[in-house]
Amino acid sequence: MAELKRLSESRDLTRIERIGAHSHIRGLGLDSALEARAVSEGMVGQQSARKAAGLILQLIREGKIAGRAILLAGQPGTGKTAIAMGLAKSLGQETPFATVSGSELFSLEMSKTEALTQAFRRAIGVRIKEEAEIIEGEVIELTIDRPAAAGGGASGSGQSSSASKTGKLTLKTTDMETVYDLGAKMIEALTKEKVQSGDVITLDKASGKVTKLGRSIGRSRDYDAVGPHTKFVRCPEGELQKRKEVVHCVTLHEIDVINSRTQGFLALFTGDTGEIRAEVREQIDTKVAEWREEGKAEIVPGVLFIDEVHMLDIECFSFLNRALENDMAPILVIATNRGITTIRGTNYRSPHGIPADFLDRLLIICTQPYTEEETRKILDIRCEEEDVEMSKDAKVLLTKIGAETSLRYAINLITAAALACQKRKGKIVEMEDISRVYQLFLDVKRSTQYLMEYQSQYMFNEVPREADEDETTQF
């Protein structure tokens, strides 16, 4: 019994670990007219910022604003990263979305410009089209003959038996039915995919790859019970042999890595790509341009999101200025919570720590602090996401704490209060749990106040300030 309890606890822990700060966001929460709903898809408030992001989203989908840059500017905890995440979710699977933090570039074992180039190329997709000959149909019968190996206990009998396997496959569509003789390779592929009578399958003639599309609807009554993952599909129409257009979606960076001989395609899995030579990239760009002219490929400009953009230095901004003018540039979305601050690498101060010439290129979206009502709605969503039941009074208290301190601090107290509730063997988080964790964990204001009261007891506070001033005047 104790073991079962431990197992359930570990499962619950795994689930909580998977919940991120923005895991509740599923889109921008806009209607068909690109108007922001009050609460939708995990987004709350920030109507004007979300509406602006919606217009950008529409232009991205139409492929009209490649090479443009958008700045999300606002106070900490006002939902800048949430808007970028909502934009990424709304774009869908095929549009590439690469995210990088400004401070990451300084910790990589490569130059800053190379790291930015790789980030740019991760955000540009290539949709490659190719025609393949396939056989598609419903399996009527699959028979595999396994003749007994000659020579009884000979050491190679197993190999000779597998080589001499023969079989027949009967496939049909709504219009025709054909029997195919199978070789050893095809038998192995069909066995691996566990193909049986009643399955609808696709065979690639060039590679011999077998893909199981699902069970035929006509066979749905053959079984009383089926698994939850069983997919029923209609029997294919027309001829068995067809020419089908296959579309592969890859990013330019993936093509770079595969064609860079020093790393090879395995670098895609290890992540250790290193620096890629400019000649390789030029050849790839030329080849992709040829494919575009021939109609074999299509460029999908994606989104590159750079958070903490004030951490970039003057060299990075200079590179971004040039990179945005390139023909194959993605949409650049950057975010910062700084006001007028020094540009890294210079002694000049500028709005958001961004040089004036680069700032002039940006479409700026501002985020506003959340109201108390919006804070309450966000806390409701986070309680649901973190699977925490909380009483109305506790939510009112948590909202008040969020309004006086910060939204992030209030969100951090949710799981902590749930653990305090669990400790006293309660089922619903009450006000006493909130007040308990509020006393245990300090917010920024109380921490600063505590520090000012007890600063004399901390290190490097032994020498009084007056003595320091006297010493400086002597010199």
Side-chain angles (χ1 to χ4, degrees):
M1 191 72 187
E3 185 136 353
L4 278 169
K5 194 177 177 186
R6 208 177 301 122
L7 270 169
S8 67
E9 278 177 9
S10 70
R11 278 181 197 138
D12 289 345
L13 274 172
T14 311
R15 191 179 168 204
I16 288 167
E17 282 168 5
R18 288 175 185 271
I19 294 168
H22 300 99
S23 56
H24 61 284
I25 289 164
R26 298 181 303 281
L28 283 170
L30 305 171
D31 59 20
S32 55
L34 294 180
E35 289 292 333
R37 300 188 192 99
V39 182
S40 180
E41 296 182 330
M43 297 292 279
V44 177
Q46 303 293 358
Q47 269 94 339
S48 60
R50 279 159 56 203
K51 190 176 176 182
L55 288 170
I56 299 298
L57 172 70
Q58 196 68 20
L59 292 168
I60 293 167
R61 281 179 178 157
E62 291 172 15
K64 286 184 178 175
I65 63 159
R68 300 282 181 89
I70 296 102
L71 169 65
L72 293 167
Q75 297 171 26
T78 52
K80 297 182 296 296
T81 309
I83 289 170
M85 288 287 289
L87 189 68
K89 294 280 174 75
S90 302
L91 283 169
Q93 291 293 321
E94 279 194 7
T95 309
F97 184 89
T99 179
V100 65
S101 176
S103 50
E104 272 179 48
L105 305 180
F106 298 91
S107 60
L108 297 170
E109 293 177 1
M110 61 177 86
S111 66
K112 291 172 286 188
T113 52
E114 173 65 21
L116 279 169
T117 306
Q118 288 191 14
F120 262 73
R121 289 176 80 85
R122 266 201 301 271
I124 302 160
V126 183
R127 200 182 282 129
I128 302 165
K129 301 170 192 168
E130 60 176 3
E131 280 199 344
E133 279 208 7
I134 59 157
I135 299 167
E136 188 176 71
E138 182 188 329
V139 178
I140 300 297
E141 193 182 358
L142 174 62
T143 54
I144 297 169
D145 300 321
R146 295 181 177 85
S155 61
S157 63
Q159 291 176 0
S160 62
S161 125
S162 67
S164 60
K165 273 184 192 176
T166 56
K168 289 187 186 296
L169 173 68
T170 310
L171 283 180
K172 74 151 194 173
T173 63
T174 52
D175 297 348
M176 62 187 291
E177 186 175 314
T178 310
V179 180
Y180 293 96
D181 289 325
L182 301 174
K185 190 181 174 186
M186 190 55 76
I187 289 169
E188 194 182 329
L190 289 164
T191 312
K192 194 176 177 183
E193 286 294 317
K194 296 177 182 169
V195 172
Q196 56 185 346
S197 177
D199 287 341
V200 176
I201 63 166
T202 300
L203 306 172
D204 190 333
K205 284 184 79 176
S207 63
K209 188 185 174 187
V210 178
T211 310
K212 195 152 64 165
L213 302 176
R215 297 282 300 166
S216 172
I217 288 176
R219 300 293 187 100
S220 60
R221 292 179 186 174
D222 292 3
Y223 304 96
D224 293 333
V226 291
H229 303 297
T230 307
K231 186 180 173 186
F232 287 102
V233 292
R234 293 187 179 279
C235 180
E237 297 176 356
E239 292 193 5
L240 278 161
Q241 290 197 34
K242 299 170 188 170
R243 289 189 73 82
K244 195 175 183 182
E245 194 177 72
V246 183
V247 179
H248 307 284
C249 290
V250 289
T251 65
L252 276 178
H253 176 64
E254 286 168 352
I255 302 172
D256 291 347
V257 172
I258 291 164
N259 286 279
S260 178
R261 288 181 188 172
T262 50
Q263 286 89 26
F265 76 96
L266 288 173
L268 286 172
F269 304 101
T270 60
D272 182 23
T273 53
E275 298 213 3
I276 295 165
R277 288 178 295 118
E279 297 84 27
V280 173
R281 290 203 173 108
E282 281 171 20
Q283 287 169 7
I284 288 162
D285 289 349
T286 309
K287 194 70 184 170
V288 169
E290 279 177 27
W291 288 346
R292 279 175 75 187
E293 284 174 15
E294 292 167 12
K296 287 182 183 176
E298 194 181 324
I299 297 293
V300 185
V303 177
L304 171 61
F305 175 58
I306 303 178
D307 206 356
E308 298 176 338
V309 77
H310 52 265
M311 294 300 292
L312 299 183
D313 61 11
I314 192 73
E315 293 166 16
C316 294
F317 286 120
S318 177
F319 176 82
L320 287 175
N321 258 332
R322 184 73 190 85
L324 282 174
E325 291 172 358
N326 195 345
D327 292 341
M328 291 208 285
I331 292 95
L332 179 66
V333 179
I334 60 177
T336 179
N337 55 22
R338 298 294 166 95
I340 294 170
T341 185
T342 308
I343 304 165
R344 276 190 75 168
T346 70
N347 296 322
Y348 298 106
R349 289 166 67 80
S350 172
H352 314 297
I354 298 170
D357 60 336
F358 186 63
L359 204 57
D360 197 35
R361 292 172 181 266
L362 306 174
L363 292 167
I364 302 171
I365 299 173
C366 283
T367 54
Q368 304 298 326
Y370 290 109
T371 63
E372 203 165 313
E373 182 58 32
E374 286 168 352
T375 304
R376 169 70 188 266
K377 286 173 184 172
I378 292 167
L379 290 170
D380 281 342
I381 292 167
R382 287 305 301 179
C383 285
E384 196 178 323
E385 181 71 16
E386 295 180 31
D387 209 8
V388 173
E389 276 193 64
M390 196 177 285
S391 69
K392 283 187 178 179
D393 293 341
K395 278 184 184 172
V396 168
L397 178 59
L398 196 61
T399 306
K400 196 176 178 189
I401 290 168
E404 286 179 6
T405 58
S406 73
L407 177 63
R408 285 174 180 165
Y409 175 70
I411 288 170
N412 284 337
L413 292 185
I414 294 172
T415 303
L419 292 170
C421 173
Q422 197 179 321
K423 180 87 174 167
R424 64 171 180 84
K425 294 185 170 60
K427 290 186 178 177
I428 297 174
V429 175
E430 300 289 351
M431 286 176 73
E432 60 184 280
D433 302 313
I434 301 288
S435 58
R436 177 169 168 75
V437 292
Y438 181 72
Q439 287 162 7
L440 286 171
F441 304 106
L442 302 182
D443 58 273
V444 177
K445 286 178 187 173
R446 285 185 296 153
S447 179
T448 309
Q449 191 180 346
Y450 181 87
L451 191 66
M452 288 172 76
E453 283 177 20
Y454 297 98
Q455 65 177 338
S456 59
Q457 295 175 23
Y458 284 83
M459 284 185 70
F460 307 116
N461 278 290
E462 294 87 355
V463 182
R465 286 186 179 175
E466 293 92 45
D468 285 348
E469 284 167 12
D470 292 342
E471 283 174 20
T472 51
T473 50
Q474 283 173 13
F475 290 99

